[in-house]
Amino acid sequence: MKRILLKLSGEALAGDKKTGFDEATCIGVAEQVRQLVEKGIQVTVVTGGGNFWRGRTSETIDRVKADQIGMLATVMNCIYVSDIFRHVGMKTEIFTPFTCGAFTTLFSKDAANAALEEGKVIFFAGGTGHPYFSTDTGAVLRAIEIEADAMLLAKAIDGIYDSDPKVNPEAKKYDEISIQEVIDKKLAAVDLTASILCLENKMPMLVFGLNEDNSIVETISGTFTGTKVTV
Ligand code: UDP
């Protein structure tokens, strides 16, 4: 693989704390990504925002406003994680679909490609820039636009199961499953909008647990133990 998009869920960034950042977790992610960059892989990153806020957090305020807060939460996450990446020796740049003044660069495919060619790890913050979408959808969209070879989904759970393993101890993990089956069986890998985008644009996904040792590196090096989603 030459170019990947790594999606980190907001909860995964928070570690056991469930909210905010767990610095050790983020440094661990950064050190793994550095190994990929050293192998010549171009890495792009999307973070979720659930460690701070989700649009559906409030039933009081308008959904559009609530989603705007969620998108800004992903910008905060990207500023934090990208600076941890710099701390471990990588060059980074954050792109957003809306202007954030001097904090980020406005996204365009050309600017993203140029940054990748300079050897930077790039972050796509702010989701799609629109309410009623998720960072999963934003991540698939960017993966397609920048022609990534695959999307790596690092989650709090280590793959896709046929039922929730927290509820059903007999739940079975898939080694491989097609995106059509994920959609048909309503398996909670990514939301439906993101799944359809994957299907229509043939973007494969590798789903794995961020808490498993060295899981990002192993996903690329072939000793993958998560779920491969084929298209
Ligand atoms: N969000 C949005 N549009 C996007 C991406 C994200 O409105 O394109 C908002 C939405 O409110 C979401 C929050 O940002 O709940 C955090 O994103 P994430 O995908 O982590 O949320 P989740 O899927 O967990 O709700």
Side-chain angles (χ1 to χ4, degrees), residues 1 36 39 206 215-226:
M1 276 193 243
L36 302 187
K39 284 190 182 126
L206 296 161
S215 57
I216 300 173
V217 171
E218 285 179 1
T219 298
I220 293 293
S221 64
T223 43
F224 176 64
T225 56

Side-chain angles (χ1 to χ4, degrees), residues 44-117:
T44 67
V45 181
V46 168
T47 68
N51 54 326
F52 284 123
W53 179 270
R54 292 194 168 98
R56 52 189 186 278
T57 300
S58 172
E59 287 178 6
T60 311
I61 66 164
D62 181 67
R63 171 72 190 266
V64 174
K65 310 289 178 195
D67 281 345
Q68 288 170 350
I69 299 171
M71 287 184 262
L72 290 173
T74 72
V75 177
M76 291 198 291
N77 278 343
C78 284
I79 293 173
Y80 178 84
V81 179
S82 71
D83 223 65
I84 295 278
F85 277 33
R86 285 183 187 210
H87 171 77
V88 307
M90 288 174 276
K91 291 186 285 179
T92 65
E93 186 162 355
I94 305 171
F95 291 92
T96 42
F98 42 78
T99 47
C100 279
F103 295 1
T104 65
T105 307
L106 191 62
F107 170 76
S108 75
K109 180 174 180 173
D110 289 347
N113 275 332
L116 286 169
E117 294 309 328

